[in-house]
């Protein structure tokens, strides 16, 4: 049997591509790409000339079966997305699951992702955090936010620049306008920016300075609530 490789690609700077990722993409029999035009530029940059095939969220259920058959026949296949690690708010999970179920080895290379640099640079606690990805655009959005009201861990969201201000205002309504937030923009690119403050302050900033590029929102978790002592007021517990 062949091997399915999940290969991260740069979210910005081409120099973030690992030597191992370049080697794997040159050695496999087939490269699956979310957008062959975008990935074609990446492969050309690193002089990778392997066959490229489209594999995205609209066709992955239809193409995964034939890809699994290729893997069973002994071909090695690499999966890449437009940027970052496939499967993290990108196509990848379905094929990875189907390959695993078929007894095929799935090897995921470590590499570029937007969420880790965003949270580490945020100044917010990153020892424990929850990754929420993209919020539902319509149905279930409000109820999902409400379910996170008491989340004590730092929360990480992906968002479009066109919906950023609306999302920050909605977060403020649910979590409180004074909750701390860091918005990372264009990570690993020339115009990388991190804007930090309260939800109200950062929303106001982007209302006057419309954002561009890829967005990661890092929100502080709910503050710990103080529990009242069961011992009489002013008396310490033994």
């Amino acid at each position: 049997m062949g091997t399915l490789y999940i290969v991260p690609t740069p979210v910005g700077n081409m120099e973030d591509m690992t030597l191992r990722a370049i080697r794997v993409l040159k050695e496999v029999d087939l490269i699956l790409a979310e957008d062959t035009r975008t990935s074609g530029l990446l492969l050309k940059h690193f002089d990778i000339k392997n066959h490229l095939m489209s594999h995205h969220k609209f066709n992955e259920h239809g193409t995964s079966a034939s890809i699994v058959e290729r893997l069973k026949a002994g071909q090695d296949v690499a999966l890449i997305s437009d940027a970052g690690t496939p499967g993290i708010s990108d196509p990848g999970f379905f094929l990875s699951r189907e390959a695993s179920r078929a007894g095929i080895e799935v090897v995921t290379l470590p590499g570029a992702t937007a969420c880790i640099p965003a949270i580490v640079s945020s100044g917010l606690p990153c020892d424990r955090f929850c990754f929420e990805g993209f919020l539902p655009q319509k149905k279930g959005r409000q109820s999902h936010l409400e379910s996170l009201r008491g989340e004590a861990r730092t929360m990480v969201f992906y968002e479009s620049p066109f919906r950023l201000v609306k999302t920050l205002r909605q977060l403020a309504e649910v979590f409180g306008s004074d909750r701390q937030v860091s918005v990372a923009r264009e990570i690993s690119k020339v115009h990388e920016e991190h804007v930090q403050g309260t939800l109200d302050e950062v929303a106001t900033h982007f209302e006057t300075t419309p954002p561009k590029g890829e967005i990661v929102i890092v929100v502080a978790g709910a503050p710990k609530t103080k529990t009242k002592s069961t011992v009489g007021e002013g008396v310490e517990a033994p």
Side-chain angles (χ1 to χ4, degrees):
M1 284 195 182
T3 300
L4 173 63
Y5 293 94
I6 310 298
V7 182
T9 54
V11 296
N13 195 317
M14 286 287 193
E15 293 179 1
D16 293 338
M17 190 75 166
T18 69
L19 295 174
R20 185 184 176 198
I22 295 171
R23 176 182 61 77
V24 167
L25 292 179
K26 286 184 175 181
E27 292 179 353
V28 295
D29 299 290
L30 174 67
I31 299 173
L32 305 174
E34 183 179 4
D35 186 325
T36 55
R37 293 166 298 180
T38 300
S39 296
L41 297 175
L42 174 78
L43 300 188
K44 183 178 180 180
H45 181 85
F46 291 106
D47 194 30
I48 299 169
K49 300 176 181 179
N50 270 341
H51 179 59
L52 198 60
M53 176 177 165
S54 179
H55 183 83
H56 47 73
K57 65 180 181 180
F58 300 109
N59 74 355
E60 61 180 342
H61 287 73
T63 60
S64 291
S66 63
I67 294 166
V68 168
E69 290 305 313
R70 285 175 179 252
L71 288 160
K72 285 182 176 180
Q75 291 190 17
D76 290 329
V77 177
L79 173 66
I80 59 178
S81 60
D82 288 351
T85 301
I88 305 299
S89 293
D90 277 325
F93 162 72
F94 185 78
L95 177 59
S96 177
R97 185 188 68 183
E98 294 304 295
S100 295
R101 286 178 173 176
I104 295 161
E105 183 180 15
V106 178
V107 175
T108 301
L109 278 62
T113 183
C115 66
I116 298 302
I119 188 171
V120 173
S121 299
S122 70
L124 296 171
C126 54
D127 54 334
R128 297 176 68 242
F129 63 91
C130 61
F131 176 73
E132 292 295 324
F134 287 96
L135 287 165
Q137 290 189 29
K138 295 180 180 179
K139 186 177 180 181
R141 185 181 179 92
Q142 188 63 31
S143 61
H144 186 75
L145 286 174
E146 291 290 346
S147 73
L148 295 171
R149 185 188 293 272
E151 176 57 65
R153 296 170 295 179
T154 301
M155 294 166 280
V156 184
F157 303 89
Y158 285 166
E159 190 50 279
S160 157
F162 308 107
R163 292 191 298 268
L164 175 60
V165 171
K166 176 183 177 181
T167 296
L168 291 172
R169 290 300 183 193
Q170 289 178 323
L171 290 170
E173 290 176 7
V174 177
F175 301 150
S177 60
D178 60 345
R179 183 76 68 90
Q180 289 294 307
V181 65
S182 174
V183 172
R185 188 179 67 82
E186 293 288 76
I187 287 175
S188 191
K189 297 180 182 177
V190 174
H191 301 293
E192 179 172 343
E193 178 185 36
H194 298 262
V195 179
Q196 300 164 352
T198 65
L199 282 165
D200 183 61
E201 290 169 343
V202 175
T204 299
H205 168 80
F206 284 112
E207 283 174 340
T208 57
T209 309
K212 295 180 181 180
E214 302 297 321
I215 302 290
V216 184
I217 305 172
V218 184
V219 185
K224 294 181 179 179
T225 56
K226 295 181 180 180
T227 56
K228 293 183 179 180
S229 173
T230 55
V231 184
E233 185 178 352
V235 180
E236 294 184 356

